[in-house]
Amino acid sequence: MKRFKEKKGTNTYKEVMELFASGIPAFNRVIHTLVKKTDDVDFFDKLLRDQMIAELKKERKEQDAILDTVETARSEINDVLKVEKNVHDPLMTEPITDAANYSLAGDGKRLRPVMAWIMGVNGYGLDRSAIVPLLRSLEYMHTASLIFDDLPSQDNASLRRGKTTVHQVYNVAIAEITGLFLTQKAVEEQASLNTFDTKTVLQVIQYSAQKTTDLCKGQVMDLDNKGKPLTLEQLRAISHKKTGIALEASLLMPAILANASELERKVLKKFAYHAGIMFQVKDDLLDVEGDQIKLGKAIGKDADNNNSTFVSVLGTDGAREEMWDHYCHALEAIQQTPHHTIVLKHLLNYMIHRDH
């Protein structure tokens, strides 16, 4: 402000200060006093610059560490996802197992199990091998939801994870049964968390079942409103049910295994609510601006199907503003707990800056 006053003159400086400190005379007086008393502006410039450089270096180091962790987790998760065939009954299970492994083998982001891996291992110090069943269950549930999403009765998609969708490679009936098969495999995996006490594992299974019913309700809401003009509030509600709840589960299930406090679980839910809407807005923007090869699915499907999205309701600039607004709310939420601020902040950055 000292430099600004010298460069632009006293009158312009006063005009800016009237806007800057509008309605707060005490704050205005403090700024005026500081500007008047400040002599060595170069010293403050250097101090501020040094602090900014140090903070940016720290942020970059943390971000690089999280990105490395994401890739490590993703690689480890990919190695344990394959569903083994039942050697005692190969003829009965082969088509379903093949279809399940076909859908799992695609180039997925594995975001949900990656989040659970990072929260469980980095956040709560859980043994990485002990939570493998949880990671499998999350990806099985997510992949099942994608299979159902792609069916002719829903989105009728032809491309998923860079490959032809399951119902087109096999048939609709096999796709439907495979989706059900994977949801049950998810429950089986959760019941295999045998290094944790029984009561805790039951809480995980109960929570998972509750959230699965919420996801189903969100999908019904989405189907009921296809081709209809939606309000911003309706879009947010559907996004929370379809996307936010799955992100919440990725954070809450490790928290349950770690016996986290109710306050911490509440903060994680609030974070997931805003992160989920942010994630969906980013998806809507990618559907308009994204690269089909990187996305691994067709772009422009929402416009083709006349579906309401954050972009169609708010426009591209408005959608981007909505996305960053929820990003800020998610950041505010994690300030309420000192335990996982860095982990969650960089997970949030990873989600908002993704290109697929």
Side-chain angles (χ1 to χ4, degrees):
M1 294 303 292
K2 182 86 170 185
R3 287 192 186 281
F4 181 80
K5 184 177 182 180
E6 292 172 353
K7 186 176 181 180
K8 296 295 183 179
T10 302
N11 291 335
T12 303
Y13 166 78
K14 287 181 178 179
E15 289 176 6
V16 170
M17 282 303 302
E18 285 178 6
L19 295 172
F20 185 55
S22 179
I24 315 175
F27 179 62
N28 200 354
R29 286 194 297 272
V30 168
I31 297 298
H32 279 310
T33 301
L34 289 172
V35 169
K36 185 178 180 181
K37 290 185 175 181
T38 300
D39 294 322
D40 192 353
V41 178
D42 290 338
F43 168 77
F44 286 104
D45 278 352
K46 185 178 184 306
L47 179 65
L48 181 60
R49 183 175 64 250
D50 289 347
Q51 288 178 331
M52 288 177 65
I53 291 172
E55 188 63 28
L56 287 170
K57 284 182 178 178
K58 180 184 174 185
E59 287 268 333
R60 186 56 178 266
K61 187 176 180 180
E62 291 171 354
Q63 183 179 344
D64 289 345
I66 285 291
L67 290 175
D68 287 343
T69 303
V70 166
E71 289 308 310
T72 298
R74 188 169 180 265
S75 177
E76 291 191 11
I77 290 161
N78 281 334
D79 289 342
V80 299
L81 286 179
K82 185 177 179 180
V83 179
E84 298 300 327
K85 291 183 179 180
N86 185 345
V87 294
H88 301 295
D89 195 6
L91 293 177
M92 291 297 292
T93 61
E94 187 171 352
I96 303 172
T97 307
D98 286 345
N101 285 328
Y102 173 83
S103 62
L104 289 165
D107 188 26
K109 294 184 290 295
R110 316 299 186 204
L111 178 63
R112 291 146 191 85
V114 163
M115 288 177 66
W117 193 97
I118 292 174
M119 281 299 292
V121 176
N122 289 26
Y124 292 113
L126 300 177
D127 183 82
R128 59 207 296 173
S129 61
I131 63 169
V132 165
L134 174 63
L135 308 182
R136 283 200 196 101
S137 75
L138 284 164
E139 189 58 32
Y140 289 171
M141 290 296 297
H142 176 58
T143 300
S145 74
L146 298 181
I147 292 172
F148 289 130
D149 255 358
D150 292 338
L151 289 172
S153 59
Q154 297 194 41
D155 287 349
N156 194 25
S158 59
L159 195 66
R160 173 68 71 175
R161 291 175 169 171
K163 303 192 303 179
T164 306
T165 45
V166 177
H167 70 272
Q168 292 197 344
V169 172
Y170 296 87
N171 58 56
V172 172
I174 289 294
E176 291 173 340
I177 296 169
T178 301
L180 179 60
F181 173 75
L182 283 172
T183 61
Q184 294 309 298
K185 290 295 290 183
V187 178
E188 181 184 347
E189 290 293 335
Q190 291 164 16
S192 302
L193 291 160
N194 50 29
T195 63
F196 300 91
D197 68 83
T198 305
K199 184 178 179 181
T200 300
V201 173
L202 284 174
Q203 285 180 22
V204 167
I205 295 172
Q206 182 183 43
Y207 171 84
S208 177
Q210 290 171 345
K211 295 304 160 183
T212 302
T213 60
D214 287 340
L215 285 168
C216 290
K217 292 174 184 176
Q219 185 65 12
V220 170
M221 288 170 63
D222 191 36
L223 290 171
D224 284 346
N225 288 287
K226 280 192 181 298
K228 298 178 183 177
L230 299 179
T231 66
L232 183 57
E233 284 305 315
Q234 287 174 317
L235 275 175
R236 287 171 178 165
I238 292 172
S239 297
H240 172 58
K241 290 286 187 183
K242 285 195 65 180
T243 307
I245 282 176
L247 296 182
E248 178 191 309
S250 304
L251 302 174
L252 260 291
M253 290 166 84
I256 293 170
L257 290 177
N259 295 310
S261 68
E262 284 301 318
L263 174 60
E264 191 161 329
R265 296 184 196 189
K266 184 178 179 181
V267 169
L268 291 175
K269 287 180 180 180
K270 185 176 180 181
F271 170 85
Y273 171 80
H274 292 292
I277 296 175
M278 180 203 80
F279 188 92
Q280 185 57 55
V281 180
K282 179 70 174 183
D283 260 8
D284 291 352
L285 286 166
L286 288 172
D287 188 61
V288 175
E289 305 171 334
D291 184 317
Q292 180 169 311
I293 295 175
K294 289 182 179 179
L295 288 171
K297 59 182 180 180
I299 62 172
K301 288 285 290 181
D302 290 319
D304 292 343
N305 295 329
N306 197 30
N307 293 333
S308 288
T309 67
F310 286 97
V311 174
S312 68
V313 171
L314 299 172
T316 302
D317 291 340
R320 195 167 281 110
E321 184 178 335
E322 173 82 358
M323 179 181 71
W324 283 106
D325 185 52
H326 284 282
Y327 170 90
C328 292
H329 282 301
L331 276 184
E332 287 175 5
I334 58 177
Q335 300 305 318
Q336 299 172 36
T337 173
H339 297 114
H340 314 300
T341 303
I342 293 174
V343 170
L344 291 174
K345 178 180 70 176
H346 289 292
L347 276 174
L348 199 64
N349 288 335
Y350 172 74
M351 286 189 281
I352 202 168
H353 292 302
R354 63 196 170 92
D355 57 9
H356 65 289

